[in-house]
Amino acid sequence: MREERIVLGDLELVVARPAHPENLIDERRFEENEFLPYWADLWPSGLALARHVVNLEITGKRVLELGCGLALPSFAAAAAGARVLATDWAPECIELVAFNAEANGLTVNAAVLDWTTSKSGDGKRYDLVVAADVLYEPRNVAPLGRLLGEAVATDGVALIADPG
């Protein structure tokens, strides 16, 4: 593991993450469902989304992050006073999210969520749903659309950040 210092406006985080994400590639998991450890990288869109979210007026709001990876937008939302559920399909990612949230004094719930087989995680609707760098494969588009339809509250908002 390596630690990185990340500044999001007035918020400074220290985030542990795998030093060499490529070493996490598992041929068996890839053969099953083309699983790659994308969660272990710090992606530019995740950082940009987190920098936006930390400045939102979301105190007391319910926030869901889809495909959270290192969960920077979730940490930003928690720091802004939201009640946050960070989700990803990689169990090892969820363990690291819990570790990093606690290390930074943030309250973030985290859960495994496979878009192809699950509903929005806990069946609840959210005031804000965020996702960053999740549209890297065309097969993610339809499940993301379905989840947004299930998870975004009637007066809620979804923010999706993607490069390009």
Side-chain angles (χ1 to χ4, degrees):
M1 287 287 181
R2 69 175 172 191
E3 288 187 346
E4 289 196 35
R5 182 179 154 268
I6 298 169
V7 177
L8 308 173
D10 293 336
L11 176 64
E12 183 175 319
L13 301 170
V14 176
V15 176
R17 68 185 192 93
H20 303 285
E22 64 278 2
N23 292 344
L24 301 174
I25 295 173
D26 179 330
E27 295 298 326
R28 181 188 51 78
R29 288 174 84 185
F30 182 79
E31 286 179 20
E32 284 178 16
N33 59 10
E34 297 182 22
F35 179 88
L36 289 170
Y38 293 124
W39 65 269
D41 279 310
L42 180 58
W43 297 101
S45 293
L47 188 54
L49 182 58
R51 286 184 172 140
H52 178 75
V53 169
V54 77
N55 293 310
L56 296 177
E57 294 293 330
I58 53 176
T59 301
K61 301 288 186 179
R62 293 178 40 79
V63 175
L64 171 66
E65 184 174 5
L66 300 171
C68 69
L70 295 175
L72 295 181
S74 288
F75 298 153
R83 294 174 289 143
V84 181
L85 175 60
T87 64
D88 201 284
W89 73 332
E92 57 272 42
C93 163
I94 298 305
E95 293 171 14
L96 191 57
V97 168
F99 173 84
N100 281 325
E102 184 176 337
N104 285 283
L106 299 170
T107 301
V108 174
N109 294 314
V112 173
L113 176 64
D114 179 350
W115 300 1
T116 61
T117 61
S118 301
K119 296 235 181 236
S120 62
D122 58 7
K124 297 178 182 172
R125 298 264 180 174
Y126 291 82
D127 303 299
L128 176 63
V129 178
V130 296
D133 288 298
V134 296
L135 296 173
Y136 49 86
E137 293 182 16
R139 68 182 176 144
N140 292 345
V141 175
L144 177 62
R146 180 184 52 78
L147 277 172
L148 292 175
E150 294 170 358
V152 179
T154 302
D155 57 348
V157 175
L159 297 175
I160 312 301
D162 203 62

